[in-house]
Amino acid sequence: MELDVTDTDFYRTPIISQASDPENAARLQRLWETPPGLRGQLTTVDHKTIGIRYLVTAFAFLLLGGLEALMMRLQLAHANQHVLTPEQYNQMFTMHGITMIFLYALPVLSGFSNYLWPLLLGSRDMAFPRLNALSYWVFLFSGLFIYASFLAGDGPNSGWFNYVPYSSLSYNPGQGIDFYALGMILLGISTTVGSINFVVTLFRSRAPGMSLNRLPILVWGTLTASVGNLLAVPAVSLAFLMLWMDRRVGTHFFDDGGGGNPLLWQHLFWMFGHPWVYAIVLPAMGIISDGLPTFCRRPLVGYTPVALSTVATMFIGFGVWVHHMFATGLPPMSLSFFSAASFVIVIPSAVAVFAWIATIWMGRPVFKVPFLFFASFVLLFVIGGVSGFMTAAVPLDWQLTDTYFVVAHLHYVLLGINVFPVIGGIYFWFPKITGRLMDERLGRWNFWTMFIGFNLAFFPMHISGLLGMPRRIYTYSNGYGWDTLNFVTTIGAFLFAIGVLLFVANVALSLRRGEKSGPNPWDASTLEWAVASPPPPYNFAVIPTVASRHPLWESHLSEEGSDSSVLDRGPLLAQGRETMGVTVLDGEPDVILKMPPDSFAPLVMAVLLTALCYSALIHSGWLCALSTVGILGCLLIWLWPTALVQSVKCQTMDVHYD
């Protein structure tokens, strides 16, 4: 286990050291670096490597989902097209939704958070490094498992929402839905263990002095999303397990003829689905809240209201799931309650919007490429929010349900306000990750192509929906007035795709010959910019002590009583892999946390969990038993206590610096 019971017989005072001491740096390098070669790649638990893997894998799925979208847009560019058959279109439609919502949107944000959290928090790694590696491997295998359905010739075809009875065995006898159901259970494991890791890391493993009111907003966003995932993911995992049991075991949870209730699926799915929307938006909003002030040359306006609004958004989001079920015949009192909640949730979102606008207005904006992406997010967020606010009204929702207006809203809130912060965030943190700047000129072409293409693709869908075009159709006839709008949408989709390819090209070119950046090319204010670019394996040569929200801007802001000058002096912690543990609220030094070494256990566990899902897919009892025994054995090895795994009390919390 990563954090064991405190050993009360072992006390010692942290060594105070200069961060620039080359001997200390060499010792830490030996302790923390991952060995080269295949073994090191398969066993590493370095949060930075895992974060990069999340980003690369999520973008690979983004490209796959984009290809599926372009095939659908070719089919719908004109009336009576025959690019795809109805079954092929259903599979493209379903896999596009699964890919973009589950395999791209949240994992790409997990990539940012995995890479940045210890650096933002002044720590050397996540609280549970092996659990962190497990979350990535399970995510990767779940995506491959779902996409393996294409190799089997039977992809999921009931939409990413997978409504019953369309997905029940009697209407859908193939294996496509089984691939989807079991793959989502596997993905739920990844999301759950990753969320636990984020929560514990924040509460336990951050720099001394970093109290809760000094956290970056990105940390608040990811923390809130992680807590939301812990409460929401079990609902959808249970729903998919029940569906698989209905299909293959003979239960009747969703079978009306057997005493079940088909509407139960929608309740379980959207009890997860609506909080999930905020789980893939709030960390993106955190990227904006931390990145935008850097280019406005001033702190974020209204830090406390924005932090509180982040938490409030997720809290209210758990009471809005029936927003997706207004047309299902629920009682009027229920519709009134959830309609009111859908209106109220706009308020905390508006707080963040006004804070961003005020920050731009009161600052001195520097129009670099990251700023363009961050500022455009504000506009896209407002457009997506207004269309969502409109559908909070039950009578209007009845008119717009299952039309392309909802498709437009969905893409603005799930694609526009996720992709633009993510691309902007990569431009912003690319120097930190690689030590090189991305090309500014190509970046501007990248931004404008994506921005124009996105709005050209998805804004006309609002009009198509108002003209009555239903969603989930694979073709349409002439004479409805949809032809021109669909053609414009298709052009916009391809233009947006060109913008994404320009971004990929910029990344590839900048990796090879980008301008060297130095440690802090943007003159940013947070801790990750205090170390070299790219960071060393141990992150910080000494554990920093934080005295304000902006430790690197204290000389500019002239905040009284703020002195984070100890960024170059502090506890060395070099008796093995160690980092500092602090109290939850105030960030006072509490324990020295011993961290585990690299391990094959996360990869082996992920393989065994995938094998267990495969055994359920092919109904193999012997493979199921073998996988279960392997999982239990792997858990035993994982949790076996060792002398190196312990946490020790600091003998004194009153550390003085010369």
Side-chain angles (χ1 to χ4, degrees), residues 300-542:
L300 177 70
V301 173
Y303 168 90
T304 300
V306 172
L308 293 176
S309 71
T310 301
V311 178
T313 299
M314 180 59 76
F315 180 79
I316 301 172
F318 276 93
V320 189
W321 81 86
V322 176
H323 173 93
H324 300 268
M325 301 172 60
F326 284 166
T328 57
L330 294 173
M333 181 60 71
S334 174
L335 299 183
S336 300
F337 173 83
F338 286 99
S339 176
S342 301
F343 282 119
V344 169
I345 203 169
V346 174
I347 297 174
S349 300
V351 169
V353 170
F354 287 125
W356 298 325
I357 294 174
T359 301
I360 297 172
W361 183 263
M362 299 175 67
R364 301 186 304 276
V366 179
F367 291 89
K368 295 290 187 179
V369 171
F371 176 82
L372 297 178
F373 278 96
F374 295 155
S376 66
F377 163 88
V378 180
L379 175 62
L380 300 178
F381 187 82
V382 170
I383 294 174
V386 168
S387 61
F389 181 81
M390 293 169 64
T391 57
V394 175
L396 182 59
D397 183 84
W398 283 346
Q399 301 300 314
L400 298 176
T401 290
D402 287 338
T403 69
Y404 257 71
F405 188 94
V406 178
V407 177
H409 164 70
L410 186 71
H411 282 84
Y412 268 91
V413 299
L414 292 182
L415 184 63
I417 61 180
N418 179 283
V419 171
F420 280 80
V422 164
I423 300 293
I426 290 177
Y427 274 98
F428 182 47
W429 279 295
F430 188 85
K432 177 53 53 185
I433 297 172
T434 66
R436 296 180 180 272
L437 290 164
M438 293 183 69
D439 185 85
E440 187 75 12
R441 183 177 180 182
L442 184 55
R444 292 180 183 273
W445 278 97
N446 169 204
F447 166 74
W448 287 111
T449 306
M450 285 184 63
F451 184 75
I452 294 171
F454 178 86
N455 287 284
L456 196 63
F458 299 113
F459 194 83
M461 288 183 176
H462 293 97
I463 304 172
S464 301
L466 292 173
L467 292 176
M469 182 175 177
R471 58 195 296 200
R472 307 164 194 158
I473 58 170
Y474 92 102
T475 191
Y476 55 93
S477 302
N478 287 308
Y480 290 106
W482 307 335
D483 301 65
T484 301
L485 290 168
N486 274 290
F487 184 65
V488 170
T489 293
T490 300
I491 293 175
F494 276 87
L495 187 60
F496 181 75
I498 292 172
V500 174
L501 292 179
L502 287 175
F503 166 74
V504 174
N506 201 350
V507 169
L509 292 173
S510 300
L511 282 172
R512 297 189 62 183
R513 57 173 186 263
E515 179 186 349
K516 295 292 182 65
S517 65
N520 189 4
W522 312 118
D523 190 23
S525 66
T526 43
L527 280 180
E528 77 273 26
W529 301 102
V531 299
S533 300
Y538 48 85
N539 293 348
F540 297 91
V542 295

Side-chain angles (χ1 to χ4, degrees), residues 16-19 21-29 538 541-542 572 574:
I16 308 305
S17 176
Q18 291 281 358
D21 188 335
E23 184 178 340
N24 291 336
R27 187 198 314 177
L28 289 168
Q29 183 78 16
Y538 48 85
V542 295
L572 175 60

